[in-house]
Amino acid sequence: WIPDIVEKAKSLKVNAGVVAGTDVGPVIDSKAQAELSAHIERMKKDATLTASAAPSDDIGNFVTPHAFEIKNISQLEKEVFGPVLHIVRFKASEMQKVADEINATGFGLTFGMHSRIEENVAFFTSRIHAGNIYINRSMTGAVVGVQPFGGEGLSGTGPKAGGPYYLLKFLHERAITTNTAAIGGNVELLSRAFAL
């Protein structure tokens, strides 16, 4: 499967989204680009580079896709939002350890898994703490109103975007209580006024 990743990376076209045939567009802004570039440079020192795409010639916030094999999940210090794939090899007997390491990161936006073994799918989906779990599909492109989207832990956003409680996220509930008697008001007189 590693040769497949290498070949796929070589075939990726990094360019503006409006250009036909583009596989990977720019990241959101120059800050994200700088953070991803720094992460890639760190991975080049601390991990094994498995594959990378051809860089873009275009000026903009482009990040060349990379794939790295890392020794363990704890090498990832924060969420990485960009075209960087991290590969961790493990034995079937270590699945609980892997699930524990994933959960120990504290991040839980999306977990993706490709497997034809239903027992393995059931194992991870019952243990991983993530707001979105995708099995045998792309991990991006949730459609608001169809696939509610939101994470847990350090990736938590509260109600999922597109979910039944999403609008409540924009409301602020406040209670204001005044002790009228404490400021010299006549509570009995005021209650009669409101009764009229």
Side-chain angles (χ1 to χ4, degrees), residues 57-96:
D57 295 330
D58 204 351
I59 297 171
N61 301 321
F62 295 98
V63 175
T64 302
H66 284 75
F68 295 97
E69 187 167 343
I70 59 178
K71 291 184 177 79
N72 56 60
I73 294 162
S74 63
Q75 282 183 261
L76 302 175
E77 299 168 348
K78 59 183 182 175
E79 290 177 304
V80 179
F81 288 103
V84 183
L85 174 66
H86 303 93
I87 302 165
V88 178
R89 294 179 193 238
F90 61 91
K91 296 177 182 171
S93 61
E94 300 173 324
M95 290 196 315
Q96 184 61 56

Side-chain angles (χ1 to χ4, degrees), residues 145-156:
V146 177
Q147 299 158 309
F149 189 79
E152 294 180 19
L154 296 171
S155 306

Side-chain angles (χ1 to χ4, degrees), residues 8-186:
K8 179 63 178 172
K10 286 180 185 175
S11 73
L12 291 175
K13 292 188 173 77
V14 181
N15 212 326
V18 296
V19 177
T22 296
D23 296 302
V24 181
V27 295
I28 191 77
D29 58 26
S30 58
K31 181 181 175 199
Q33 181 189 35
E35 288 177 0
L36 285 164
S37 296
H39 176 76
I40 289 168
E41 290 308 310
R42 185 173 76 84
M43 286 291 105
K44 284 180 179 177
K45 294 175 190 161
D46 298 344
T48 303
L49 177 63
T50 301
S52 64
S56 169
D57 295 330
D58 204 351
I59 297 171
N61 301 321
F62 295 98
V63 175
T64 302
H66 284 75
F68 295 97
E69 187 167 343
I70 59 178
K71 291 184 177 79
N72 56 60
I73 294 162
S74 63
Q75 282 183 261
L76 302 175
E77 299 168 348
K78 59 183 182 175
E79 290 177 304
V80 179
F81 288 103
V84 183
L85 174 66
H86 303 93
I87 302 165
V88 178
R89 294 179 193 238
F90 61 91
K91 296 177 182 171
S93 61
E94 300 173 324
M95 290 196 315
Q96 184 61 56
K97 177 181 171 237
V98 170
D100 291 342
E101 287 178 358
I102 291 169
N103 291 332
T105 66
F107 297 106
L109 184 60
T110 301
F111 173 79
M113 178 177 182
H114 290 269
S115 178
R116 292 184 182 139
I117 303 170
E118 286 298 319
E119 291 83 8
N120 292 350
V121 171
F123 180 91
F124 280 105
T125 57
S126 68
R127 287 165 175 80
I128 296 298
H129 305 300
N132 310 284
I133 297 178
Y134 296 141
I135 307 300
N136 296 325
R137 59 150 285 182
S138 168
M139 289 176 53
T140 60
V143 179
V144 174
V146 177
Q147 299 158 309
F149 189 79
E152 294 180 19
L154 296 171
S155 306
T157 59
K160 289 178 176 290
Y165 304 107
Y166 185 54
L167 288 179
L168 297 176
K169 182 179 178 181
F170 300 102
L171 303 176
H172 298 281
E173 186 175 353
R174 292 187 178 92
I176 300 172
T177 306
T178 302
N179 182 345
T180 308
I183 58 172
N186 185 327

